[in-house]
Amino acid sequence: MFDIERFIADCRTALQEHSSHSAVKEIVERAMAHPDEVERALGMPERAEISTLHRSAELTVLNVIWAPGMSIYPHDHRMWAVIGIYGGREDNTFYRRSAHGLAQAGGKHLETRDTILLGETVIHAVTNPLRRFTGAIHVYGGDFFAVPRSEFDPVTFEERPYDVEKARELFRKANEGLWARSVEG
Ligand SMILES: [Fe+2]
């Protein structure tokens, strides 16, 4: 049975390993092999949110719930990240820096049970293409909320400092949109 405290303890132990990101990826893969257990432990997604399950200088574990159709603009992390999907789908678009700002550099569709390891320099944008919530565990090799990093305007690709509050606002707005649609019937 998936237990979030044990999952976090296992990730913390994995940080001692030489290739800590690979060790964490194996832990996330094992958890995502039983996505229904993860959903049972974290609760059925009912609203868009970023909820912090663990935060320290070396490790952040988030439960990220994407509303139907919701997207986030390109951003980087400046630390490795392991993402595991326990329900729904995350469509990733990757970018690289170029002489003219950002250039698209492929993509990856993540479905339920999928995990991915993103390197420190990865820049990505994420969309939930489904008409249902997507639930994912995101594990980062550092303090996700404290390390300065970048976000990019989705149209002009202008680079600016990542604003955590703006990201939270995006999730709040997604919930307001869901509520408005439910009232419209
Ligand atoms: Fe990200």
Side-chain angles (χ1 to χ4, degrees):
M1 190 57 73
F2 178 78
D3 178 84
I4 190 60
E5 294 307 323
R6 185 180 312 148
F7 176 84
I8 290 164
D10 288 348
C11 288
R12 290 201 61 79
T13 302
L15 294 179
Q16 312 303 320
E17 298 204 19
H18 175 65
S19 182
S20 55
H21 49 281
S22 301
V24 166
K25 185 165 188 293
E26 284 177 20
I27 292 164
V28 176
E29 280 172 357
R30 279 204 297 276
M32 295 307 136
H34 306 283
D36 47 334
E37 286 187 14
V38 177
E39 185 173 274
R40 208 170 302 136
L42 295 176
M44 174 81 90
E46 291 180 331
R47 61 197 313 277
E49 64 181 337
I50 305 173
S51 95
T52 306
L53 304 174
H54 175 82
R55 180 184 175 187
S56 63
E58 310 81 33
L59 186 77
T60 305
V61 181
L62 305 178
N63 181 26
V64 180
I65 309 295
W66 303 98
M70 158 174 200
S71 295
I72 192 163
Y73 36 79
H75 59 275
D76 64 12
H77 305 129
R78 315 251 176 127
M79 59 187 71
W80 58 255
V82 177
I83 293 167
I85 312 294
Y86 63 85
R89 183 167 148 178
E90 277 190 11
D91 284 355
N92 279 259
T93 305
F94 298 111
Y95 300 88
R96 59 179 167 75
R97 293 172 190 276
S98 75
H100 310 289
L102 289 187
Q104 273 198 30
K108 177 95 178 153
H109 302 320
L110 301 176
E111 315 252 4
T112 303
R113 298 172 187 262
D114 284 346
T115 66
I116 192 171
L117 170 64
L118 305 177
E120 283 185 27
T121 59
V122 162
I123 300 170
H124 74 157
V126 181
T127 295
N128 171 14
L130 305 180
R131 299 177 75 172
R132 53 163 286 194
F133 288 100
T134 286
I137 289 184
H138 291 204
V139 183
Y140 300 90
D143 185 343
F144 179 81
F145 297 102
V147 172
R149 55 186 189 278
S150 289
E151 61 182 47
F152 301 83
D153 184 281
V155 176
T156 65
F157 288 159
E158 181 196 349
E159 185 169 2
R160 55 199 178 209
Y162 186 85
D163 181 344
V164 173
E165 264 320 299
K166 194 163 123 216
R168 290 197 184 281
E169 179 69 13
L170 191 75
F171 282 74
R172 274 195 292 274
K173 286 243 169 70
N175 287 319
E176 285 169 15
L178 287 177
W179 184 81
R181 281 209 294 280
S182 72
V183 168
E184 285 163 13

PDB file of all heavy atoms in Angstrom, residues 44-75:
ATOM      1  N   MET A  44      -8.951  11.808  -4.000  1.00  0.00           N
ATOM      2  CA  MET A  44      -9.430  12.002  -5.380  1.00  0.00           C
ATOM      3  C   MET A  44      -9.311  13.473  -5.766  1.00  0.00           C
ATOM      4  O   MET A  44      -9.802  14.335  -5.039  1.00  0.00           O
ATOM      5  CB  MET A  44     -10.896  11.552  -5.450  1.00  0.00           C
ATOM      6  CG  MET A  44     -11.569  11.826  -6.767  1.00  0.00           C
ATOM      7  SD  MET A  44     -11.171  10.576  -7.974  1.00  0.00           S
ATOM      8  CE  MET A  44     -12.503   9.420  -7.655  1.00  0.00           C
ATOM      9  N   PRO A  45      -8.633  13.807  -6.884  1.00  0.00           N
ATOM     10  CA  PRO A  45      -8.494  15.220  -7.270  1.00  0.00           C
ATOM     11  C   PRO A  45      -9.851  15.881  -7.511  1.00  0.00           C
ATOM     12  O   PRO A  45     -10.680  15.347  -8.239  1.00  0.00           O
ATOM     13  CB  PRO A  45      -7.688  15.143  -8.576  1.00  0.00           C
ATOM     14  CG  PRO A  45      -6.977  13.838  -8.518  1.00  0.00           C
ATOM     15  CD  PRO A  45      -7.903  12.915  -7.789  1.00  0.00           C
ATOM     16  N   GLU A  46     -10.055  17.005  -6.855  1.00  0.00           N
ATOM     17  CA  GLU A  46     -11.327  17.730  -6.999  1.00  0.00           C
ATOM     18  C   GLU A  46     -11.120  19.183  -7.354  1.00  0.00           C
ATOM     19  O   GLU A  46     -12.064  19.891  -7.687  1.00  0.00           O
ATOM     20  CB  GLU A  46     -12.132  17.634  -5.696  1.00  0.00           C
ATOM     21  CG  GLU A  46     -12.651  16.247  -5.436  1.00  0.00           C
ATOM     22  CD  GLU A  46     -13.438  16.143  -4.151  1.00  0.00           C
ATOM     23  OE1 GLU A  46     -13.152  16.924  -3.219  1.00  0.00           O
ATOM     24  OE2 GLU A  46     -14.325  15.274  -4.080  1.00  0.00           O
ATOM     25  N   ARG A  47      -9.890  19.680  -7.218  1.00  0.00           N
ATOM     26  CA  ARG A  47      -9.597  21.073  -7.565  1.00  0.00           C
ATOM     27  C   ARG A  47      -8.123  21.191  -7.955  1.00  0.00           C
ATOM     28  O   ARG A  47      -7.294  20.392  -7.486  1.00  0.00           O
ATOM     29  CB  ARG A  47      -9.928  22.001  -6.399  1.00  0.00           C
ATOM     30  CG  ARG A  47      -9.154  21.726  -5.133  1.00  0.00           C
ATOM     31  CD  ARG A  47      -9.800  22.364  -3.923  1.00  0.00           C
ATOM     32  NE  ARG A  47     -10.171  23.741  -4.152  1.00  0.00           N
ATOM     33  CZ  ARG A  47      -9.350  24.784  -4.043  1.00  0.00           C
ATOM     34  NH1 ARG A  47      -8.092  24.596  -3.712  1.00  0.00           N
ATOM     35  NH2 ARG A  47      -9.795  26.005  -4.261  1.00  0.00           N
ATOM     36  N   ALA A  48      -7.854  22.184  -8.820  1.00  0.00           N
ATOM     37  CA  ALA A  48      -6.460  22.407  -9.217  1.00  0.00           C
ATOM     38  C   ALA A  48      -5.682  22.907  -8.009  1.00  0.00           C
ATOM     39  O   ALA A  48      -6.146  23.782  -7.286  1.00  0.00           O
ATOM     40  CB  ALA A  48      -6.410  23.446 -10.340  1.00  0.00           C
ATOM     41  N   GLU A  49      -4.510  22.353  -7.782  1.00  0.00           N
ATOM     42  CA  GLU A  49      -3.689  22.837  -6.661  1.00  0.00           C
ATOM     43  C   GLU A  49      -2.268  22.301  -6.740  1.00  0.00           C
ATOM     44  O   GLU A  49      -1.999  21.294  -7.383  1.00  0.00           O
ATOM     45  CB  GLU A  49      -4.305  22.455  -5.310  1.00  0.00           C
ATOM     46  CG  GLU A  49      -4.385  20.973  -5.057  1.00  0.00           C
ATOM     47  CD  GLU A  49      -5.033  20.669  -3.711  1.00  0.00           C
ATOM     48  OE1 GLU A  49      -5.026  21.523  -2.816  1.00  0.00           O
ATOM     49  OE2 GLU A  49      -5.542  19.549  -3.563  1.00  0.00           O
ATOM     50  N   ILE A  50      -1.386  23.053  -6.066  1.00  0.00           N
ATOM     51  CA  ILE A  50      -0.022  22.567  -5.817  1.00  0.00           C
ATOM     52  C   ILE A  50       0.048  22.372  -4.320  1.00  0.00           C
ATOM     53  O   ILE A  50      -0.006  23.350  -3.573  1.00  0.00           O
ATOM     54  CB  ILE A  50       1.035  23.618  -6.208  1.00  0.00           C
ATOM     55  CG1 ILE A  50       0.866  24.068  -7.659  1.00  0.00           C
ATOM     56  CG2 ILE A  50       2.437  23.095  -5.968  1.00  0.00           C
ATOM     57  CD1 ILE A  50       1.794  25.224  -8.033  1.00  0.00           C
ATOM     58  N   SER A  51       0.106  21.133  -3.877  1.00  0.00           N
ATOM     59  CA  SER A  51       0.195  20.971  -2.430  1.00  0.00           C
ATOM     60  C   SER A  51       1.553  20.366  -2.072  1.00  0.00           C
ATOM     61  O   SER A  51       2.042  19.442  -2.714  1.00  0.00           O
ATOM     62  CB  SER A  51      -1.007  20.197  -1.900  1.00  0.00           C
ATOM     63  OG  SER A  51      -0.736  18.873  -1.787  1.00  0.00           O
ATOM     64  N   THR A  52       2.158  20.973  -1.052  1.00  0.00           N
ATOM     65  CA  THR A  52       3.516  20.599  -0.656  1.00  0.00           C
ATOM     66  C   THR A  52       3.462  19.453   0.343  1.00  0.00           C
ATOM     67  O   THR A  52       2.928  19.610   1.435  1.00  0.00           O
ATOM     68  CB  THR A  52       4.238  21.813  -0.023  1.00  0.00           C
ATOM     69  OG1 THR A  52       4.174  22.905  -0.935  1.00  0.00           O
ATOM     70  CG2 THR A  52       5.697  21.488   0.284  1.00  0.00           C
ATOM     71  N   LEU A  53       4.000  18.309  -0.061  1.00  0.00           N
ATOM     72  CA  LEU A  53       4.015  17.147   0.822  1.00  0.00           C
ATOM     73  C   LEU A  53       5.296  17.114   1.649  1.00  0.00           C
ATOM     74  O   LEU A  53       5.329  16.565   2.743  1.00  0.00           O
ATOM     75  CB  LEU A  53       3.900  15.858  -0.002  1.00  0.00           C
ATOM     76  CG  LEU A  53       2.667  15.774  -0.926  1.00  0.00           C
ATOM     77  CD1 LEU A  53       2.729  14.527  -1.790  1.00  0.00           C
ATOM     78  CD2 LEU A  53       1.386  15.796  -0.111  1.00  0.00           C
ATOM     79  N   HIS A  54       6.364  17.704   1.085  1.00  0.00           N
ATOM     80  CA  HIS A  54       7.648  17.771   1.803  1.00  0.00           C
ATOM     81  C   HIS A  54       8.467  18.912   1.223  1.00  0.00           C
ATOM     82  O   HIS A  54       8.493  19.101   0.012  1.00  0.00           O
ATOM     83  CB  HIS A  54       8.423  16.454   1.643  1.00  0.00           C
ATOM     84  CG  HIS A  54       9.792  16.500   2.260  1.00  0.00           C
ATOM     85  ND1 HIS A  54      10.002  16.294   3.601  1.00  0.00           N
ATOM     86  CD2 HIS A  54      11.006  16.770   1.720  1.00  0.00           C
ATOM     87  CE1 HIS A  54      11.309  16.419   3.862  1.00  0.00           C
ATOM     88  NE2 HIS A  54      11.935  16.700   2.736  1.00  0.00           N
ATOM     89  N   ARG A  55       9.105  19.686   2.101  1.00  0.00           N
ATOM     90  CA  ARG A  55       9.985  20.754   1.623  1.00  0.00           C
ATOM     91  C   ARG A  55      11.195  20.858   2.534  1.00  0.00           C
ATOM     92  O   ARG A  55      11.066  21.048   3.738  1.00  0.00           O
ATOM     93  CB  ARG A  55       9.242  22.096   1.622  1.00  0.00           C
ATOM     94  CG  ARG A  55      10.114  23.229   1.136  1.00  0.00           C
ATOM     95  CD  ARG A  55       9.404  24.568   1.227  1.00  0.00           C
ATOM     96  NE  ARG A  55      10.337  25.632   0.854  1.00  0.00           N
ATOM     97  CZ  ARG A  55      10.070  26.924   0.967  1.00  0.00           C
ATOM     98  NH1 ARG A  55       8.897  27.331   1.431  1.00  0.00           N
ATOM     99  NH2 ARG A  55      10.982  27.819   0.612  1.00  0.00           N
ATOM    100  N   SER A  56      12.376  20.709   1.925  1.00  0.00           N
ATOM    101  CA  SER A  56      13.623  20.940   2.652  1.00  0.00           C
ATOM    102  C   SER A  56      14.619  21.506   1.653  1.00  0.00           C
ATOM    103  O   SER A  56      14.296  21.665   0.468  1.00  0.00           O
ATOM    104  CB  SER A  56      14.147  19.628   3.269  1.00  0.00           C
ATOM    105  OG  SER A  56      14.459  18.699   2.237  1.00  0.00           O
ATOM    106  N   ALA A  57      15.824  21.808   2.114  1.00  0.00           N
ATOM    107  CA  ALA A  57      16.823  22.406   1.226  1.00  0.00           C
ATOM    108  C   ALA A  57      17.224  21.433   0.113  1.00  0.00           C
ATOM    109  O   ALA A  57      17.612  21.848  -0.975  1.00  0.00           O
ATOM    110  CB  ALA A  57      18.052  22.826   2.027  1.00  0.00           C
ATOM    111  N   GLU A  58      17.101  20.119   0.389  1.00  0.00           N
ATOM    112  CA  GLU A  58      17.596  19.115  -0.569  1.00  0.00           C
ATOM    113  C   GLU A  58      16.492  18.476  -1.394  1.00  0.00           C
ATOM    114  O   GLU A  58      16.771  17.826  -2.409  1.00  0.00           O
ATOM    115  CB  GLU A  58      18.323  17.972   0.155  1.00  0.00           C
ATOM    116  CG  GLU A  58      19.375  18.350   1.144  1.00  0.00           C
ATOM    117  CD  GLU A  58      18.778  18.741   2.490  1.00  0.00           C
ATOM    118  OE1 GLU A  58      17.749  18.176   2.866  1.00  0.00           O
ATOM    119  OE2 GLU A  58      19.338  19.633   3.140  1.00  0.00           O
ATOM    120  N   LEU A  59      15.236  18.614  -0.949  1.00  0.00           N
ATOM    121  CA  LEU A  59      14.172  17.819  -1.574  1.00  0.00           C
ATOM    122  C   LEU A  59      12.823  18.522  -1.416  1.00  0.00           C
ATOM    123  O   LEU A  59      12.493  19.030  -0.342  1.00  0.00           O
ATOM    124  CB  LEU A  59      14.091  16.441  -0.879  1.00  0.00           C
ATOM    125  CG  LEU A  59      13.138  15.423  -1.478  1.00  0.00           C
ATOM    126  CD1 LEU A  59      13.752  14.807  -2.746  1.00  0.00           C
ATOM    127  CD2 LEU A  59      12.821  14.314  -0.474  1.00  0.00           C
ATOM    128  N   THR A  60      12.072  18.549  -2.514  1.00  0.00           N
ATOM    129  CA  THR A  60      10.680  19.016  -2.448  1.00  0.00           C
ATOM    130  C   THR A  60       9.807  17.946  -3.086  1.00  0.00           C
ATOM    131  O   THR A  60      10.153  17.409  -4.147  1.00  0.00           O
ATOM    132  CB  THR A  60      10.506  20.340  -3.223  1.00  0.00           C
ATOM    133  OG1 THR A  60      11.436  21.301  -2.713  1.00  0.00           O
ATOM    134  CG2 THR A  60       9.083  20.889  -3.068  1.00  0.00           C
ATOM    135  N   VAL A  61       8.692  17.635  -2.438  1.00  0.00           N
ATOM    136  CA  VAL A  61       7.731  16.691  -2.998  1.00  0.00           C
ATOM    137  C   VAL A  61       6.375  17.406  -3.056  1.00  0.00           C
ATOM    138  O   VAL A  61       5.876  17.888  -2.032  1.00  0.00           O
ATOM    139  CB  VAL A  61       7.616  15.401  -2.147  1.00  0.00           C
ATOM    140  CG1 VAL A  61       6.621  14.432  -2.783  1.00  0.00           C
ATOM    141  CG2 VAL A  61       8.981  14.736  -1.990  1.00  0.00           C
ATOM    142  N   LEU A  62       5.831  17.479  -4.271  1.00  0.00           N
ATOM    143  CA  LEU A  62       4.557  18.172  -4.472  1.00  0.00           C
ATOM    144  C   LEU A  62       3.516  17.207  -5.014  1.00  0.00           C
ATOM    145  O   LEU A  62       3.840  16.307  -5.796  1.00  0.00           O
ATOM    146  CB  LEU A  62       4.718  19.312  -5.499  1.00  0.00           C
ATOM    147  CG  LEU A  62       5.795  20.362  -5.239  1.00  0.00           C
ATOM    148  CD1 LEU A  62       5.812  21.372  -6.393  1.00  0.00           C
ATOM    149  CD2 LEU A  62       5.548  21.082  -3.923  1.00  0.00           C
ATOM    150  N   ASN A  63       2.264  17.438  -4.607  1.00  0.00           N
ATOM    151  CA  ASN A  63       1.126  16.804  -5.267  1.00  0.00           C
ATOM    152  C   ASN A  63       0.520  17.881  -6.166  1.00  0.00           C
ATOM    153  O   ASN A  63       0.006  18.886  -5.674  1.00  0.00           O
ATOM    154  CB  ASN A  63       0.109  16.320  -4.229  1.00  0.00           C
ATOM    155  CG  ASN A  63      -1.071  15.627  -4.865  1.00  0.00           C
ATOM    156  OD1 ASN A  63      -0.962  15.073  -5.963  1.00  0.00           O
ATOM    157  ND2 ASN A  63      -2.209  15.656  -4.193  1.00  0.00           N
ATOM    158  N   VAL A  64       0.644  17.698  -7.476  1.00  0.00           N
ATOM    159  CA  VAL A  64       0.176  18.711  -8.427  1.00  0.00           C
ATOM    160  C   VAL A  64      -1.085  18.208  -9.110  1.00  0.00           C
ATOM    161  O   VAL A  64      -1.076  17.144  -9.730  1.00  0.00           O
ATOM    162  CB  VAL A  64       1.267  19.030  -9.479  1.00  0.00           C
ATOM    163  CG1 VAL A  64       0.770  20.088 -10.451  1.00  0.00           C
ATOM    164  CG2 VAL A  64       2.545  19.504  -8.798  1.00  0.00           C
ATOM    165  N   ILE A  65      -2.171  18.973  -8.959  1.00  0.00           N
ATOM    166  CA  ILE A  65      -3.441  18.620  -9.608  1.00  0.00           C
ATOM    167  C   ILE A  65      -3.727  19.660 -10.684  1.00  0.00           C
ATOM    168  O   ILE A  65      -3.863  20.859 -10.386  1.00  0.00           O
ATOM    169  CB  ILE A  65      -4.612  18.614  -8.596  1.00  0.00           C
ATOM    170  CG1 ILE A  65      -4.279  17.772  -7.361  1.00  0.00           C
ATOM    171  CG2 ILE A  65      -5.893  18.132  -9.289  1.00  0.00           C
ATOM    172  CD1 ILE A  65      -4.102  16.311  -7.619  1.00  0.00           C
ATOM    173  N   TRP A  66      -3.787  19.194 -11.937  1.00  0.00           N
ATOM    174  CA  TRP A  66      -4.074  20.074 -13.072  1.00  0.00           C
ATOM    175  C   TRP A  66      -5.568  20.000 -13.384  1.00  0.00           C
ATOM    176  O   TRP A  66      -6.124  18.919 -13.503  1.00  0.00           O
ATOM    177  CB  TRP A  66      -3.296  19.622 -14.313  1.00  0.00           C
ATOM    178  CG  TRP A  66      -1.818  19.543 -14.136  1.00  0.00           C
ATOM    179  CD1 TRP A  66      -1.090  18.418 -13.869  1.00  0.00           C
ATOM    180  CD2 TRP A  66      -0.874  20.615 -14.215  1.00  0.00           C
ATOM    181  NE1 TRP A  66       0.256  18.742 -13.781  1.00  0.00           N
ATOM    182  CE2 TRP A  66       0.413  20.080 -13.990  1.00  0.00           C
ATOM    183  CE3 TRP A  66      -0.994  21.993 -14.460  1.00  0.00           C
ATOM    184  CZ2 TRP A  66       1.564  20.855 -13.993  1.00  0.00           C
ATOM    185  CZ3 TRP A  66       0.152  22.764 -14.465  1.00  0.00           C
ATOM    186  CH2 TRP A  66       1.411  22.200 -14.239  1.00  0.00           C
ATOM    187  N   ALA A  67      -6.182  21.167 -13.534  1.00  0.00           N
ATOM    188  CA  ALA A  67      -7.592  21.202 -13.933  1.00  0.00           C
ATOM    189  C   ALA A  67      -7.709  20.752 -15.389  1.00  0.00           C
ATOM    190  O   ALA A  67      -6.731  20.808 -16.149  1.00  0.00           O
ATOM    191  CB  ALA A  67      -8.141  22.618 -13.780  1.00  0.00           C
ATOM    192  N   PRO A  68      -8.915  20.320 -15.797  1.00  0.00           N
ATOM    193  CA  PRO A  68      -9.112  19.946 -17.203  1.00  0.00           C
ATOM    194  C   PRO A  68      -8.707  21.089 -18.130  1.00  0.00           C
ATOM    195  O   PRO A  68      -9.097  22.244 -17.924  1.00  0.00           O
ATOM    196  CB  PRO A  68     -10.628  19.704 -17.285  1.00  0.00           C
ATOM    197  CG  PRO A  68     -11.030  19.332 -15.886  1.00  0.00           C
ATOM    198  CD  PRO A  68     -10.135  20.128 -14.983  1.00  0.00           C
ATOM    199  N   GLY A  69      -7.888  20.790 -19.126  1.00  0.00           N
ATOM    200  CA  GLY A  69      -7.502  21.777 -20.138  1.00  0.00           C
ATOM    201  C   GLY A  69      -6.497  22.819 -19.696  1.00  0.00           C
ATOM    202  O   GLY A  69      -6.114  23.695 -20.469  1.00  0.00           O
ATOM    203  N   MET A  70      -6.015  22.717 -18.459  1.00  0.00           N
ATOM    204  CA  MET A  70      -5.143  23.779 -17.911  1.00  0.00           C
ATOM    205  C   MET A  70      -3.708  23.669 -18.438  1.00  0.00           C
ATOM    206  O   MET A  70      -3.208  22.587 -18.693  1.00  0.00           O
ATOM    207  CB  MET A  70      -5.214  23.626 -16.398  1.00  0.00           C
ATOM    208  CG  MET A  70      -4.114  24.174 -15.621  1.00  0.00           C
ATOM    209  SD  MET A  70      -4.446  24.048 -13.843  1.00  0.00           S
ATOM    210  CE  MET A  70      -3.281  25.307 -13.370  1.00  0.00           C
ATOM    211  N   SER A  71      -3.049  24.834 -18.602  1.00  0.00           N
ATOM    212  CA  SER A  71      -1.648  24.876 -19.076  1.00  0.00           C
ATOM    213  C   SER A  71      -0.828  25.791 -18.190  1.00  0.00           C
ATOM    214  O   SER A  71      -1.351  26.745 -17.620  1.00  0.00           O
ATOM    215  CB  SER A  71      -1.563  25.451 -20.492  1.00  0.00           C
ATOM    216  OG  SER A  71      -2.202  24.609 -21.406  1.00  0.00           O
ATOM    217  N   ILE A  72       0.467  25.514 -18.127  1.00  0.00           N
ATOM    218  CA  ILE A  72       1.396  26.471 -17.512  1.00  0.00           C
ATOM    219  C   ILE A  72       2.471  26.822 -18.536  1.00  0.00           C
ATOM    220  O   ILE A  72       2.911  25.972 -19.317  1.00  0.00           O
ATOM    221  CB  ILE A  72       1.997  25.956 -16.181  1.00  0.00           C
ATOM    222  CG1 ILE A  72       2.696  27.111 -15.457  1.00  0.00           C
ATOM    223  CG2 ILE A  72       2.936  24.786 -16.387  1.00  0.00           C
ATOM    224  CD1 ILE A  72       2.974  26.853 -13.989  1.00  0.00           C
ATOM    225  N   TYR A  73       2.838  28.106 -18.529  1.00  0.00           N
ATOM    226  CA  TYR A  73       3.822  28.694 -19.447  1.00  0.00           C
ATOM    227  C   TYR A  73       5.209  28.053 -19.248  1.00  0.00           C
ATOM    228  O   TYR A  73       5.473  27.429 -18.210  1.00  0.00           O
ATOM    229  CB  TYR A  73       3.902  30.209 -19.195  1.00  0.00           C
ATOM    230  CG  TYR A  73       3.738  30.543 -17.725  1.00  0.00           C
ATOM    231  CD1 TYR A  73       4.803  30.392 -16.844  1.00  0.00           C
ATOM    232  CD2 TYR A  73       2.497  30.923 -17.209  1.00  0.00           C
ATOM    233  CE1 TYR A  73       4.647  30.641 -15.494  1.00  0.00           C
ATOM    234  CE2 TYR A  73       2.336  31.185 -15.853  1.00  0.00           C
ATOM    235  CZ  TYR A  73       3.418  31.035 -15.001  1.00  0.00           C
ATOM    236  OH  TYR A  73       3.253  31.249 -13.656  1.00  0.00           O
ATOM    237  N   PRO A  74       6.103  28.240 -20.229  1.00  0.00           N
ATOM    238  CA  PRO A  74       7.443  27.643 -20.093  1.00  0.00           C
ATOM    239  C   PRO A  74       8.178  28.151 -18.845  1.00  0.00           C
ATOM    240  O   PRO A  74       8.051  29.314 -18.480  1.00  0.00           O
ATOM    241  CB  PRO A  74       8.162  28.104 -21.366  1.00  0.00           C
ATOM    242  CG  PRO A  74       7.082  28.458 -22.338  1.00  0.00           C
ATOM    243  CD  PRO A  74       5.939  28.957 -21.512  1.00  0.00           C
ATOM    244  N   HIS A  75       8.909  27.253 -18.222  1.00  0.00           N
ATOM    245  CA  HIS A  75       9.703  27.608 -17.036  1.00  0.00           C
ATOM    246  C   HIS A  75      10.814  26.583 -16.878  1.00  0.00           C
ATOM    247  O   HIS A  75      10.752  25.492 -17.449  1.00  0.00           O
ATOM    248  CB  HIS A  75       8.819  27.629 -15.785  1.00  0.00           C
ATOM    249  CG  HIS A  75       8.165  26.305 -15.518  1.00  0.00           C
ATOM    250  ND1 HIS A  75       6.972  25.943 -16.118  1.00  0.00           N
ATOM    251  CD2 HIS A  75       8.533  25.243 -14.759  1.00  0.00           C
ATOM    252  CE1 HIS A  75       6.642  24.723 -15.718  1.00  0.00           C
ATOM    253  NE2 HIS A  75       7.590  24.273 -14.905  1.00  0.00           N
TER     254      HIS A  75
END
